[in-house]
Amino acid sequence: HAHGALAQAGKGDADEKENGEASDKSAAVERPTRPSLYAAAATLVADGAVSVDALYPHLSPTDAEAAAAHALETKAALSAVKATGTVSLAAASASAEEKALAEAKRKKEERARRDAAVARRQANQKLGLAAAILIRGDAWPHARDLLRRLEAVDPASHPGIRRALLEQLAAALKPLYAEVSIKAKLQRTRDDPAAEEPRSVPGLSHTTFELLAALGSHLSVDIVLLTKACRCLKAHLKRSSEGKPKSAAERAVADVVAKCLLPSASLVACNPMLMEEVWQVLSLLPWGERYRAYATWDSPALAERYPALAAVHVTSVRDVKYVLKRLVPESVRLYGRKFCKAAHACPLPALQQAVKQVEAYPQHTENVVELFKYLTPLSLDVLAYVVVERLGSARDKLKEDGQNIAGWLQCLATFIGHVWRRYSGVDMHGLLAYILTRLRADECLDLVVLQELLARVCNVEWQEELSGDALDKLAGGRTLRSTAVVVTQGMQRGINTVARAMGAMRAALVTADGEDLAVPLLALIGHQRHAAIYAVSLPHLKLVSELVDRSHVCFLQYAEFLQLAHEDVTKYAELLPPLGEACGRLKLEPDTIFHVFRPLLAEAALGKPQAGAEMVSVGGKPVPYDALLETVKGMLPAEVWECLSPELYLTFWSMQLSDVRDLSGSYATEIEATKEALKGVDAAAMPAKNISSAGMIDKAGTRSMDTEKKREREKKRLNTLLEKLQKEADEAKLRCTEVTGSLLAAKKRWLTTPTGKDGRRVGEVHEAL
């Protein structure tokens, strides 16, 4: 009977429309379907007496009519969003009274449009039936199938459906949240501070994920429930990763975050703590899943589905443009907070606008980077995604002349270097993976990004036009080299800061599966010199030569970075393949291979061991010297060794510049400069007049406790630097003496008799030496 009554109600509405008796759509609203009929039909569907398929054709309106009405409603809302902030010349010339009347008319039309949309949803019998089934709470499969059919009209916008979905979601989250909530944790630790979190609930059910997907951005109406969902998803990820494959759980959580959590959080006015809860979930996902979620969040389809989300995007861009137009170094603190307030809830459009500003106006780079110090961790991660997105955009990376790198790419590379130099904690997995992918496709132009990272983040800068003193310093140990960095370029930083940045970049080269991409990236950079000549069709010879030089410089920078990132020679040796297999596996030339292996062959620079000691250390492991020579012979054609000694070749590639150049003068000069700096600190720390014994600021304001602490830190730093320089100087002098003695003893053995078919080649070797 209920089935027939509900079907007759739908049929009556259709007949009225066909007969022209109620052509206006509001006629259906005047006689709405009784709630008791919805409840009765929902009971029949839940008990299996009637199927949704049998009832669905008799309900009004049809899917096509409902979709068309919803499309018109969405289009009107999007048009209103696009009109936000536009300036009308006609309105500007109108009087105050005319403006007030126009605004009142606009508000009235907006209210009427909103009321008509609500009435249309209330009159939709299919949505009413879905709400009744959901209210029962025991027929989710039927409700899910019905909601999927109604996906084109955004069923969660119906008040009854949204309310029922929220209630079911709260019930689904309750068991797990009871174990992970802060209240539960406080109750557990009150008696036993070491009490562990209970694990009676393995995680969230599949139904919970379906409920979140059905709600979409409408979860924003209940901020408490949104926060609970974030915490439960975080616990679900942790529990699902215990002894099980994580990929399926990560993909499911990433989908829910992209389609529900992020859009819902965007609709909540500036709430940094809510975004922090969302970040706690995202931080457990690999960078690929996070970037996929950001791409879905930024897709036009999502904004078209939820016009409110599009309105938030427009507002965020408008506020960010307001800030960027007024940004100067003196106003960074003032406008930085306004910028981040606009970016907290909706960081994607805000940061995209900021990056576009930097690409167009590179002089604003440092000011814009300084703005980011107020961003949340989620916003900084979104910034990394935006940078990769801009790099991968379909734009020409060469100028119109075809000979120089495009300005936007150079500006963006500089911006990337500044960002990761200032915020080294931002994950760069995605950026390095992008560079690796581009190099695999023989795209040499993207090396400019890697060069900026190495120079600005790791202080591995390629110096040009250096003085003789600076060159001598760069030939020394790590401490002496650190004093040769050009301070005028703003690259000088503390040793600990650089070490942390190197560690972060080194960790970013390890994938989630444990694969180390450091050596593959090294090999790809080495291949770019040949790729620029043979593999890529470039229009101008000037560009080819520039890319070959850039590839070579980048290879030297990256090789030095790997050596500096692994202070322990043993760990550096574990990173590289064996010397005999390196040429075959890395597909690089022998000179390139030996440049990379040079730190591991330091002991071989002393030549052939004395009798009774036939082993040399290669990367901390003892290797027979004769076996090492055989490995070297296999790296070059046999005819090469007719005029060249393998021992000479190995010794040459095993030596550093400091092995054959006396750097005592450079070390002495730097040690003296450090001692003078210490004297200056001690002189400034002498007690002055009118200074209180507590060291606080007196009336003259001559000294404070903060100043004293800074001086103590500076004195400690200089003392540490002095000790390291003295130790390095002693080691370098001893090493130079040993290598020089070894060379004097070995030269007679290398060049005693001609080994070629004639004596001319040996003469050439004599001349070269």
Side-chain angles (χ1 to χ4, degrees):
H1 175 73
H3 168 232
L6 187 58
Q8 186 63 33
K11 185 175 182 300
D13 291 339
D15 291 342
E16 287 180 1
K17 184 174 181 181
E18 290 176 0
N19 297 330
E21 297 175 1
S23 58
D24 190 3
K25 294 182 180 180
S26 61
V29 181
E30 295 175 2
R31 294 185 292 126
T33 304
R34 295 189 299 274
S36 58
L37 290 179
Y38 288 132
T43 302
L44 292 175
V45 171
D47 293 342
V50 178
S51 66
V52 174
D53 293 335
L55 190 58
Y56 195 83
H58 303 284
L59 304 180
S60 64
T62 64
D63 289 347
E65 293 173 350
H70 182 74
L72 288 175
E73 177 188 341
T74 303
K75 184 178 180 180
L78 291 175
S79 299
V81 168
K82 292 179 181 178
T84 303
T86 57
V87 178
S88 174
L89 297 179
S93 61
S95 62
E97 184 178 356
E98 291 174 342
K99 290 181 180 179
L101 290 175
E103 182 66 17
K105 181 180 179 181
R106 186 191 65 81
K107 290 182 178 180
K108 182 178 179 180
E109 292 175 352
E110 177 67 20
R111 193 182 308 110
R113 182 179 62 81
R114 191 164 50 247
D115 293 343
V118 173
R120 191 180 302 111
R121 294 189 187 94
Q122 294 287 356
N124 192 317
Q125 292 183 337
K126 297 173 182 177
L127 292 176
L129 177 60
I133 296 175
L134 284 169
I135 290 173
R136 287 183 53 85
D138 58 353
W140 169 247
H142 300 289
R144 176 193 60 206
D145 296 339
L146 190 54
L147 292 177
R148 287 176 179 173
R149 289 187 177 188
L150 299 171
E151 190 174 1
V153 297
D154 189 16
S157 60
H158 186 278
I161 293 178
R162 180 171 60 245
R163 192 181 310 111
L165 286 172
L166 291 173
E167 291 175 357
Q168 290 202 23
L169 179 62
L173 295 177
K174 187 175 181 180
L176 182 57
Y177 190 73
E179 296 183 357
V180 302
S181 65
I182 298 177
K183 181 178 179 181
K185 183 177 180 180
L186 290 175
Q187 291 177 349
R188 287 195 306 270
T189 57
R190 186 176 301 167
D191 300 328
D192 184 8
E196 296 183 357
E197 182 180 290
R199 300 296 180 97
S200 59
V201 181
L204 297 175
S205 63
H206 183 65
T207 301
T208 307
F209 287 93
E210 293 177 339
L211 289 169
L212 288 168
L215 274 168
S217 68
H218 299 286
L219 187 56
S220 60
V221 301
D222 193 337
I223 300 179
V224 175
L225 188 58
L226 176 57
T227 305
K228 289 182 178 180
C230 294
R231 295 174 180 174
C232 289
L233 286 171
K234 176 183 175 183
H236 174 79
L237 276 176
K238 290 182 177 180
R239 298 186 181 192
S240 62
S241 63
E242 296 176 354
K244 299 179 181 178
K246 297 191 296 182
S247 57
E250 289 172 349
R251 178 59 62 87
V253 172
D255 289 342
V256 167
V257 170
K259 297 177 181 178
C260 179
L261 297 190
L262 287 174
S264 298
S266 298
L267 297 179
V268 178
C270 188
N271 193 333
M273 295 313 300
L274 177 60
M275 302 307 291
E276 179 63 24
E277 293 288 349
V278 178
W279 171 244
Q280 291 299 319
V281 181
L282 281 168
S283 61
L284 299 177
L285 299 174
W287 69 269
E289 296 295 343
R290 296 202 308 271
Y291 283 17
R292 190 177 292 108
Y294 298 151
T296 304
W297 187 21
D298 191 39
S299 63
L302 195 65
E304 292 176 0
R305 180 176 174 83
Y306 305 116
L309 193 60
V312 172
H313 286 193
V314 171
T315 303
S316 177
V317 171
R318 182 191 61 199
D319 295 344
V320 167
K321 285 183 177 179
Y322 174 86
V323 170
L324 294 177
K325 287 179 181 177
R326 293 159 178 79
L327 186 62
V328 293
E330 294 77 15
S331 63
V332 169
R333 183 182 294 273
L334 172 64
Y335 287 107
R337 292 182 172 87
K338 293 183 178 180
F339 174 85
C340 295
K341 184 177 181 181
H344 278 327
C346 204
L348 262 172
L351 295 173
Q352 286 170 345
Q353 189 63 38
V355 174
K356 290 178 183 177
Q357 175 93 351
V358 170
E359 290 178 357
Y361 305 100
Q363 64 271 21
H364 293 172
T365 298
E366 294 187 4
N367 295 336
V368 172
V369 171
E370 193 65 22
L371 285 178
F372 298 156
K373 64 183 179 181
Y374 300 105
L375 289 178
T376 60
L378 173 60
S379 298
L380 288 174
D381 194 59
V382 170
L383 175 63
Y385 164 76
V386 170
V387 164
V388 176
E389 180 194 37
R390 299 295 296 174
L391 282 173
S393 60
R395 291 182 288 177
D396 194 355
K397 296 183 178 181
L398 292 175
K399 292 183 177 179
E400 293 182 358
D401 58 8
Q403 302 181 32
N404 298 287
I405 295 178
W408 71 267
L409 179 58
Q410 186 64 57
C411 294
L412 187 56
T414 304
F415 172 74
I416 290 171
H418 277 86
V419 167
W420 266 276
R421 178 176 180 267
R422 180 73 168 80
Y423 312 101
S424 58
V426 180
D427 187 9
M428 64 173 71
H429 278 89
L431 180 60
L432 292 177
Y434 167 81
I435 295 174
L436 197 70
T437 303
R438 300 298 291 173
L439 292 180
R440 284 187 177 130
D442 294 329
E443 293 289 343
C444 315
L445 296 175
D446 292 286
L447 281 177
V448 64
V449 179
L450 184 59
Q451 278 190 284
E452 287 290 339
L453 281 176
L454 293 171
R456 298 188 181 276
V457 178
C458 304
N459 269 17
V460 184
E461 187 182 14
W462 184 255
Q463 303 287 345
E464 296 181 0
E465 299 180 359
L466 293 175
S467 63
D469 293 338
L471 285 173
D472 286 341
K473 289 181 179 180
L474 290 174
R478 177 175 298 192
T479 307
L480 186 62
R481 287 202 303 270
S482 67
T483 63
V485 177
V486 182
V487 182
T488 55
Q489 294 185 3
M491 304 298 294
Q492 186 73 20
R493 291 189 294 165
I495 296 177
N496 294 334
T497 305
V498 175
R500 285 195 298 269
M502 282 188 174
M505 187 169 177
R506 179 67 190 90
L509 288 169
V510 181
T511 65
D513 299 330
E515 181 184 2
D516 198 336
L517 300 178
V519 175
L521 182 57
L522 177 73
L524 287 171
I525 297 172
H527 290 159
Q528 297 312 304
R529 287 183 295 177
H530 298 280
I533 301 174
Y534 301 110
V536 182
S537 178
L538 297 173
H540 297 281
L541 183 60
K542 176 186 175 182
L543 179 61
V544 174
S545 60
E546 181 181 347
L547 290 179
V548 170
D549 292 342
R550 185 183 295 277
S551 301
H552 182 64
V553 169
C554 187
F555 178 81
L556 296 178
Q557 285 181 275
Y558 185 72
E560 184 178 355
F561 156 71
L562 289 181
Q563 295 170 17
L564 294 176
H566 298 83
E567 296 185 10
D568 189 357
V569 178
T570 304
K571 293 183 178 180
Y572 183 63
E574 294 174 355
L575 179 69
L576 300 173
L579 180 61
E581 303 176 8
C583 284
R585 290 173 58 179
L586 301 183
K587 301 293 189 295
L588 296 176
E589 297 296 328
D591 58 341
T592 307
I593 294 294
F594 273 108
H595 177 76
V596 176
F597 275 83
R598 196 190 298 269
L600 308 180
L601 301 172
E603 191 171 323
L606 300 178
K608 188 174 182 178
Q610 300 297 327
E614 299 297 332
M615 308 292 286
V616 294
S617 176
V618 178
K621 297 180 180 180
V623 176
Y625 189 77
D626 292 337
L628 185 59
L629 287 179
E630 290 298 324
T631 301
V632 173
K633 288 182 180 179
M635 299 176 71
L636 291 174
E639 56 268 17
V640 173
W641 308 118
E642 295 179 4
C643 62
L644 182 63
S645 168
E647 187 179 348
L648 170 61
Y649 187 81
L650 175 61
T651 304
F652 172 80
W653 284 111
S654 303
M655 291 189 299
Q656 305 278 356
L657 183 56
S658 58
D659 294 341
V660 294
R661 186 176 181 87
D662 187 7
L663 301 176
S664 302
S666 299
Y667 277 105
T669 302
E670 194 61 35
I671 289 173
E672 187 63 28
T674 306
K675 289 181 179 179
E676 290 296 328
L678 271 172
K679 291 180 182 179
V681 174
D682 292 336
M686 293 295 292
K689 296 180 180 181
N690 301 325
I691 301 295
S692 62
S693 59
M696 302 301 291
I697 300 177
D698 60 355
K699 294 181 180 180
T702 54
R703 191 171 65 176
S704 67
M705 288 291 289
D706 291 340
T707 305
E708 288 300 315
K709 290 179 180 179
K710 290 179 180 178
R711 286 172 179 165
E712 288 297 326
R713 287 196 298 267
E714 180 65 12
K715 187 175 180 180
K716 183 178 179 181
R717 185 188 71 82
L718 290 173
N719 281 321
T720 303
L721 178 62
L722 186 62
E723 293 175 1
K724 290 183 177 180
L725 285 172
Q726 190 63 55
K727 183 179 179 181
E728 269 190 13
D730 296 339
E731 292 176 353
K733 185 176 182 179
L734 178 60
R735 172 74 176 178
C736 186
T737 302
E738 291 178 349
V739 173
T740 303
S742 173
L743 291 176
L744 292 174
K747 67 177 184 179
K748 297 178 181 179
R749 187 170 64 252
W750 291 338
L751 305 173
T752 52
T753 59
T755 57
K757 295 180 180 179
D758 50 28
R760 289 186 298 171
R761 293 182 178 178
V762 176
E764 291 172 1
V765 175
H766 273 287
E767 188 66 26
L769 291 177

